[in-house]
Amino acid sequence: MSAAKPTIAVVDYGMGNLRSVTKALEHVANGRAHITLTAQPEVVRAADKVVFPGQGAMKDCMAGLLESGLKDAVLEAAANKPFFGVCVGAQLLLDHSEEGDTPALGLYAGQVKRFPDGLSDAAGARLKVPHMGWNEVWQTARHPLFAGVADGSRFYFVHSYYMAPADAALSLGYAEYPFAFSAVIGRDNVFATQFHPEKSAAAGLKLLENFIAWDGQR
């Protein structure tokens, strides 16, 4: 990996707010990395680091990944280089989603579950699904990408389904709506967020900035 200017591939499989993710990475890189939005498996394989976004229905995202021919390249990247999953790109790393009864990539054991209807907060106010807006994220493990990000920082969420990894140690941070759910998962070279860092102001940009410099080690 080039220490001076790593190449970072943003995976384009037709699903996700790709322009905003790419622009946010370019902003925080400030010339310190080459950011490439790509639909080509060979470009993903050649990159030093990979960002895997996703937005929309899980079944459509999984179909797009398969039809694009990018599935194997994404799994290879998640196995051996710094890897940042975003929103559905994080959910896809688990085994299965209740959304459309969809098998996912199975990198980690776990389910993606729908928030139940009839939720209410501590004051008894009804909580809507999807969970949409700003919410605090509490860090449950030390991680280089959390450097300079205060515990309890607020990030921007838009989702009706949440990650439930089988191994609690896979969860690096949680939010509450109203119960605790995994907002960040990861292990070794993988870091993945349910929220959108590119839409999360200073705290989200700091995560992306830290990723630019991250060597994939914990």
Side-chain angles (χ1 to χ4, degrees):
M1 182 184 300
S2 170
K5 275 199 173 186
T7 57
I8 301 177
V10 180
V11 182
D12 179 3
Y13 58 108
M15 298 290 167
N17 195 356
L18 301 173
R19 180 174 173 80
S20 63
V21 173
T22 304
K23 290 297 183 184
L25 284 164
E26 290 173 347
H27 173 72
V28 298
N30 194 25
R32 293 178 293 124
H34 296 289
I35 314 300
T36 302
L37 177 62
T38 183
Q40 300 177 34
E42 61 271 23
V43 175
V44 174
R45 289 187 170 99
D48 295 314
K49 306 182 183 190
V50 170
V51 176
F52 182 47
Q55 192 169 298
M58 171 70 91
K59 187 176 285 292
D60 293 341
C61 288
M62 193 65 198
L65 191 60
L66 292 170
E67 291 166 6
S68 68
L70 284 160
K71 176 187 173 183
D72 288 345
V74 167
L75 283 171
E76 290 166 19
N80 61 38
K81 61 185 66 176
F83 184 99
F84 197 134
V86 177
C87 195
V88 179
Q91 294 180 352
L92 281 165
L93 301 180
L94 298 177
D95 285 324
H96 180 269
S97 176
E98 290 181 352
E99 185 178 16
D101 188 22
T102 305
L105 291 174
L107 182 67
Y108 304 124
Q111 300 291 314
V112 180
K113 300 181 178 182
R114 191 182 191 281
F115 286 109
D117 294 326
L119 295 175
S120 59
D121 64 18
R126 178 173 171 267
L127 295 175
K128 295 180 180 179
V129 177
H131 170 217
M132 183 181 300
W134 296 84
N135 203 345
E136 296 169 335
V137 172
W138 302 98
Q139 301 166 22
T140 55
R142 294 177 62 87
H143 195 283
L145 266 63
F146 287 142
V149 178
D151 197 17
S153 291
R154 294 170 68 82
F155 295 88
Y156 189 79
F157 291 81
V158 183
H159 62 125
S160 298
Y161 295 78
Y162 64 93
M163 298 182 290
D167 182 358
L170 196 67
S171 183
L172 305 177
Y174 70 92
E176 295 181 343
Y177 197 75
F179 54 84
F181 66 89
S182 292
V184 186
I185 65 170
R187 179 174 288 148
D188 301 327
N189 58 298
V190 173
F191 187 93
T193 65
Q194 178 63 69
F195 55 81
H196 288 271
E198 77 282 5
K199 298 179 181 179
S200 296
L205 292 179
K206 185 62 176 175
L207 287 180
L208 295 177
E209 181 183 354
N210 289 339
F211 180 71
I212 299 292
W214 187 38
D215 63 1
Q217 303 294 314
R218 289 284 299 276

